[in-house]
Amino acid sequence: MKYRYWLLVALLFTPALVQAFDNFVVEDIKIEGLQRIALGTAFTYLPLKVGEELTAKKASEAVRALFKTGFFENVSLGREGNVLVIVVEERPSIASIEIFGNEEINTDDLMEALKGIGMAEGRVFNRSLLDQVEQELHRQYFNLGKYGVEIKSTITDLPRNRVDIDIDIEEGDAARIRQINIIGAKHFKDYDLITRFQLSQGTMFSFISGSDKYSKQQLIGDLETLRSFYLDRGYIHFDIESTQVSISPDKRDVYITINIKEGEQFTVKDFDLSGDMVVPKEELRELVLLEPGDVFSRQLLVQSTNKINDRLGVEGYAFANVNAIPKIDDEKKEVSITFFVDPGKRVYVRRINITGNTKTKDEVIRREMRQMEGGWISTPLINRSKIRLQRLGFFDNVNVETPAVPGTTDQVDVNFSVVEGSTGNFSAGIGYGQEGGFLFNTSVTLNNYLGTGKRVKLEVNNDRINKIYSFSYQNPYFTMNEISSGIRLLYRSTDAAQANLSDFYTDVKEGGLNFGIPISEFTRLNFDVSYKDTDLSLGASAPRSYREWVKLVSGEGIDTARFKTYSTEASYSYDSRNRAIFPDRGLYSRIGAEVALPGGDLEYYRLSYQLRFYVPFSDQVSLLLGGEYGYGDGYGEEGTGKAILPFFENFYAGGTRSVRGYKGNTIGPRDAYCPNDDLICANPVRGDPVGGNEKILGRAELYFPVPFTDEPSRNFRLSMFVDTGRLDSNVPFVINDNDFRTTYGVAAVWITPVGALVFNWAWPIDPKEGDEIERFQFNIGAPF
């Protein structure tokens, strides 16, 4: 009868067990108890082979090796003659993991973290890992200020040695900050320091902003803000000696005490530059923002260092190292600063690589490059190349990296990665008025036709105001030196009365050709020649001024006329804006002149000037200051009607594109008519808007992100604005209302996958009697 000697073997043998173990030569090995683990897998981890002598030491090593795999709950060794028998008990596998009650921490992020440490469906269950997960969750919630969090894990056994894991989280409320004390502040009031923190004591707006919810990460950031505040004001020896965070017994209230030592304020004694001056020393000195006698500022010191680095980058020294070393005189409270300049080697660009352009052709991107392959690297040229790509409007995001070429010390590659955006646009405008009813218009624009960078636009408009059929084509690189060209064809039928204007109708057929010539990186000259055929009809309630003008110009009667016009336009523009969509810095200005040439039926000119200046206050906040001026008049023979601007070429104001808060085109001069159809009367009645020959518009708009969000949005922006504008007229038989109209309000722009939404809420300042107010306005556009 066979007999079996069983020995329960632990990870560490006791001396008694080792002494009692008889050595023997292993003739065979059996492993019992395997369910999911393959026999071959178990043998792979076993450090024993048939034919070897089994000793106590080797038995211990075998058990350790099997336990180390994490597959087994228990391992025991036995002997049947000279056959080694290993009995194992597998750990259960995880059938499912469910997490409940978590709001602050995303479930997908938790699952990904669990998977990273080996806890996932199908993996072997290890209780010690679950304990670690619970501890880490507690730590994460404590960092969020939720000290009352309760975490309970439930393990449910299933058939076939499996388990379900349920993690129930009761987050509770975040502890509220009841008091923040700063001890040791002598030169500044506690209130002035605390108001710079993200965290704050409870206020009437805390329920919205959540600023009184304690967070360890935010406290660390606030402490750095406090440190920067003092260092930027000359307190070089400022120190945060300690920080205490106390929690009330019910874990609902937090009290923060910050102990600081301000030290004395230091001023700049002098500064110098040393090292390899590849750029003239005097030129670099002009870049230093600190002057002798100034209060020392770490911020200005860092900015000065960055400016010197940027200047060296222009010369190709991309890896220059500029260190600012302050020498502190504690007795005199002065600082001497030495900028050590190590330009390193001049770096050259080996290759420019472009990735992510799934629709846009490589040549469309490469022609925007200002950094050239083979030339030395220039930081401003790389930045300018990035801005030019952003301004194309083809890409949602543009990133650039300059990794060193492996094995070299003076070469880099410039890698541009782009994310393609919507290169087509289907736009729609919707509005409602008591007289015009619902209005709807559409247009289709391909800004990057077939990935070539060419622009094609087809517009079909069939609302109650206009019937428009137009086609335009623009090639920004008609020649390789950036001379652009384009054509346009247009048919437009307009019922002006439906646009809040006086009663007339026009049918316009127009064709034009344009060219653009670059003068510099930021400036262009543009030329346009066009032919226009206009059929004009006056309605029954058309103003007397319109009828008198038609009679003088055409001699065909006072109701209908036809005009053929040959015109040319020249414009000069400057554009340094950083992006095509949501720019936040740079300047755009344009001055233009349009002239209806002699030989046509009309002789007039129109002058225009536009200005948009974007001032950044931070990465998320910027200010737009803009204005527009227009003036037009006739230059033909006096008394023929050609000496004034045709009324259908007038300027208009009011609406979403000029002065928000006023109904479209309703600001400015009005038709004057007499109640009894008299030609002249003492008190003419104010009629419909007629526009004017002079326009002045102004705008100030502050753009800011959505409040209380951690990350800035690329497709949503809010603003507060002030609009102002006026029109003036030089024609008779009108009430020349040329007073400025001003409004203020808020606006929101949201670029969504199903539409670009623009909303405006505006309130007029000191409106006049008879003004047509429209406080809420919106437009809709849908990209595809």
Side-chain angles (χ1 to χ4, degrees):
M1 175 179 178
K2 293 184 178 181
Y3 60 91
R4 180 178 295 181
Y5 298 99
W6 292 105
L7 296 172
L8 181 64
V9 183
L11 290 175
L12 296 174
F13 282 128
T14 64
L17 285 174
V18 174
Q19 291 175 0
F21 195 91
D22 295 330
N23 298 349
F24 69 95
V25 176
V26 177
E27 296 180 355
D28 195 6
I29 300 175
K30 294 181 179 179
I31 301 178
E32 300 177 354
L34 295 177
Q35 298 181 34
R36 300 183 319 278
I37 308 301
L39 182 63
T41 301
F43 274 116
T44 300
Y45 292 102
L46 189 66
L48 276 175
K49 294 182 180 178
V50 174
E52 293 184 1
E53 183 181 8
L54 179 65
T55 64
K57 180 179 180 181
K58 288 185 177 181
S60 175
E61 292 174 349
V63 172
R64 285 195 182 96
L66 292 176
F67 268 116
K68 191 176 180 180
T69 63
F71 298 152
F72 308 111
E73 189 73 31
N74 293 306
V75 178
S76 61
L77 301 184
R79 176 178 176 182
E80 293 181 353
N82 289 334
V83 177
L84 176 64
V85 180
I86 304 174
V87 179
V88 298
E89 180 183 346
E90 290 186 358
R91 285 177 172 163
S93 65
I94 299 173
S96 66
I97 300 176
E98 297 287 343
I99 302 175
F100 306 96
N102 55 305
E103 295 181 1
E104 292 288 342
I105 303 177
N106 184 271
T107 300
D108 292 338
D109 294 338
L110 281 176
M111 288 296 190
E112 193 65 28
L114 292 176
K115 185 177 180 180
I117 63 172
M119 284 197 65
E121 294 182 7
R123 297 284 187 91
V124 173
F125 171 65
N126 187 333
R127 176 71 212 195
S128 64
L129 288 180
L130 184 58
D131 293 339
Q132 293 178 25
V133 169
E134 291 180 358
Q135 293 174 10
E136 179 61 21
L137 283 174
H138 275 100
R139 189 183 70 83
Q140 292 288 345
Y141 277 104
F142 288 171
N143 288 340
L144 295 172
K146 296 199 170 186
Y147 294 100
V149 64
E150 295 183 3
I151 300 173
K152 181 182 178 181
S153 298
T154 303
I155 303 169
T156 304
D157 294 326
L158 299 175
R160 300 194 304 277
N161 198 24
R162 296 176 302 138
V163 295
D164 281 339
I165 301 175
D166 293 338
I167 302 175
D168 292 300
I169 302 173
E170 291 186 14
E171 294 183 340
D173 295 327
R176 303 282 178 173
I177 299 172
R178 294 304 175 193
Q179 191 172 16
I180 301 176
N181 294 318
I182 299 179
I183 299 175
K186 300 177 181 178
H187 297 92
F188 303 96
K189 295 180 180 179
D190 287 9
Y191 175 80
D192 294 335
L193 299 175
I194 294 173
T195 53
R196 300 177 183 275
F197 289 4
Q198 289 185 354
L199 296 176
S200 70
Q201 299 168 179
T203 66
M204 62 182 299
F205 298 109
S206 295
F207 76 97
I208 299 176
S209 64
S211 61
D212 64 340
K213 293 182 180 179
Y214 174 73
S215 168
K216 183 178 180 181
Q217 286 79 6
Q218 286 189 341
L219 178 59
I220 293 173
D222 287 340
L223 294 178
E224 184 56 35
T225 298
L226 181 63
R227 189 185 309 277
S228 297
F229 176 84
Y230 274 95
L231 291 177
D232 292 342
R233 287 157 180 80
Y235 295 90
I236 292 179
H237 294 313
F238 171 82
D239 184 39
I240 299 176
E241 295 182 325
S242 64
T243 303
Q244 292 89 35
V245 179
S246 303
I247 306 172
S248 63
D250 61 3
K251 298 181 180 180
R252 292 179 178 274
D253 298 331
V254 173
Y255 300 86
I256 301 173
T257 302
I258 304 169
N259 295 282
I260 66 173
K261 181 180 179 181
E262 290 182 331
E264 299 293 333
Q265 189 179 57
F266 284 70
T267 59
V268 177
K269 179 181 180 181
D270 54 29
F271 69 88
D272 194 13
L273 293 101
S274 65
D276 188 1
M277 298 292 115
V278 293
V279 175
K281 188 173 183 178
E282 290 304 316
E283 185 176 343
L284 294 182
R285 288 184 68 89
E286 294 295 326
L287 301 177
V288 179
L289 302 177
L290 290 167
E291 295 291 340
D294 291 349
V295 173
F296 175 82
S297 169
R298 183 179 69 171
Q299 181 182 17
L300 294 180
L301 185 67
V302 172
Q303 291 178 1
S304 300
T305 302
N306 291 338
K307 281 179 172 290
I308 295 173
N309 264 314
D310 291 342
R311 179 63 185 87
L312 296 173
V314 174
E315 303 298 326
Y317 298 95
F319 303 129
N321 188 17
V322 180
N323 289 320
I325 308 299
K327 183 179 180 181
I328 302 173
D329 187 336
D330 288 322
E331 183 177 346
K332 296 182 178 180
K333 307 297 184 293
E334 292 180 335
V335 181
S336 296
I337 304 170
T338 302
F339 294 91
F340 290 95
V341 179
D342 177 15
K345 291 185 178 181
R346 178 171 277 179
V347 179
Y348 295 83
V349 176
R350 181 186 70 165
R351 186 177 295 116
I352 296 177
N353 301 311
I354 301 168
T355 58
N357 53 318
T358 56
K359 293 184 274 188
T360 306
K361 295 182 178 180
D362 258 25
E363 65 181 273
V364 174
I365 298 177
R366 290 189 179 275
R367 68 193 184 191
E368 303 298 329
M369 295 293 106
R370 292 302 177 257
Q371 172 68 60
M372 295 293 106
E373 292 181 343
W376 71 59
I377 191 171
S378 172
T379 304
L381 292 181
I382 292 177
N383 291 337
R384 183 60 190 164
S385 301
K386 179 181 177 180
I387 289 174
R388 288 180 66 90
L389 291 180
Q390 291 173 335
R391 286 180 48 188
L392 289 176
F394 304 161
F395 310 112
D396 287 339
N397 194 25
V398 179
N399 288 317
V400 59
E401 296 178 348
T402 55
V405 176
T408 69
T409 58
D410 61 351
Q411 293 185 45
V412 297
D413 288 336
V414 179
N415 297 332
F416 283 91
S417 61
V418 301
V419 178
E420 296 270 12
S422 300
T423 57
N425 188 73
F426 169 77
S427 66
I430 298 177
Y432 180 81
Q434 291 181 342
E435 299 173 358
F438 283 99
L439 311 175
F440 181 71
N441 61 79
T442 64
S443 68
V444 178
T445 303
L446 301 175
N447 291 313
N448 187 16
Y449 180 64
L450 298 179
T452 62
K454 299 173 183 177
R455 185 173 186 266
V456 178
K457 181 177 181 180
L458 177 65
E459 181 179 6
V460 178
N461 183 320
N462 194 18
D463 59 33
R464 296 180 62 179
I465 299 173
N466 292 300
K467 291 184 179 179
I468 299 176
Y469 306 93
S470 70
F471 171 81
S472 63
Y473 167 86
Q474 190 72 24
N475 184 356
Y477 278 82
F478 181 65
T479 66
M480 288 307 297
N481 56 357
E482 293 188 59
I483 293 179
S484 63
S485 70
I487 61 171
R488 70 179 183 281
L489 299 172
L490 168 71
Y491 170 79
R492 181 177 64 242
S493 175
T494 302
D495 183 352
Q498 297 294 342
N500 308 315
L501 300 173
S502 295
D503 191 8
F504 70 91
Y505 308 85
T506 59
D507 284 328
V508 178
K509 295 173 281 293
E510 182 179 357
L513 179 66
N514 64 76
F515 290 93
I517 302 173
I519 304 301
S520 70
E521 181 68 21
F522 302 105
T523 58
R524 292 183 70 86
L525 278 176
N526 292 282
F527 300 95
D528 183 284
V529 293
S530 64
Y531 167 77
K532 187 186 297 183
D533 189 334
T534 304
D535 286 314
L536 172 68
S537 299
L538 299 181
S541 59
R544 178 185 174 190
S545 59
Y546 289 6
R547 299 183 186 278
E548 293 295 330
W549 181 85
V550 171
K551 183 177 180 180
L552 286 173
V553 174
S554 68
E556 298 181 6
I558 60 174
D559 292 330
T560 61
R562 183 180 182 185
F563 307 105
K564 297 180 180 179
T565 309
Y566 307 92
S567 62
T568 182
E569 182 179 6
S571 64
Y572 174 84
S573 62
Y574 176 92
D575 193 351
S576 62
R577 292 174 296 180
N578 62 329
R579 285 191 291 266
I581 299 175
F582 291 168
D584 60 9
R585 64 195 64 204
L587 173 69
Y588 173 79
S589 64
R590 179 185 182 276
I591 184 170
E594 176 189 1
V595 179
L597 299 174
D601 296 326
L602 301 174
E603 297 176 359
Y604 64 89
Y605 64 89
R606 284 163 47 108
L607 308 177
S608 63
Y609 178 71
Q610 299 176 29
L611 174 68
R612 292 186 180 88
F613 182 41
Y614 296 87
V615 182
F617 295 132
S618 69
D619 291 338
Q620 303 182 46
V621 180
S622 62
L623 175 67
L624 165 62
L625 298 175
E628 188 173 338
Y629 178 78
Y631 183 83
D633 208 349
Y635 64 87
E637 182 180 352
E638 290 290 340
T640 63
K642 295 184 179 181
I644 60 176
L645 183 70
F647 63 84
F648 51 83
E649 296 290 349
N650 276 347
F651 298 103
Y652 299 97
T656 58
R657 296 180 179 272
S658 54
V659 182
R660 287 163 283 189
Y662 281 89
K663 205 170 182 180
N665 305 322
T666 62
I667 291 177
R670 296 271 180 156
D671 171 32
Y673 67 91
C674 296
N676 298 320
D677 293 331
D678 296 331
L679 295 180
I680 299 176
C681 58
N683 298 305
V685 177
R686 176 185 172 98
D688 294 323
V690 295
N693 71 306
E694 183 181 31
K695 176 178 68 173
I696 301 175
L697 299 176
R699 174 194 296 186
E701 192 155 6
L702 182 68
Y703 298 107
F704 55 91
V706 180
F708 318 127
T709 56
D710 296 330
E711 296 293 332
S713 174
R714 295 180 180 273
N715 56 13
F716 190 88
R717 184 167 69 174
L718 299 173
S719 67
M720 296 184 295
F721 63 82
V722 175
D723 289 344
T724 188
R726 55 155 280 190
L727 291 177
D728 199 359
S729 178
N730 63 353
V731 300
F733 310 114
V734 300
I735 298 175
N736 193 17
D737 184 354
N738 56 8
D739 291 336
F740 275 95
R741 298 298 197 275
T742 304
T743 63
Y744 67 93
V746 295
V749 180
W750 186 15
I751 308 298
T752 72
V754 295
L757 310 179
V758 182
F759 302 93
N760 300 298
W761 293 265
W763 292 266
I765 299 175
D766 190 23
K768 303 296 189 293
E769 184 179 356
D771 285 355
E772 300 184 50
I773 309 301
E774 196 171 62
R775 289 190 173 88
F776 174 71
Q777 298 162 326
F778 70 96
N779 287 326
I780 299 176
F784 61 87

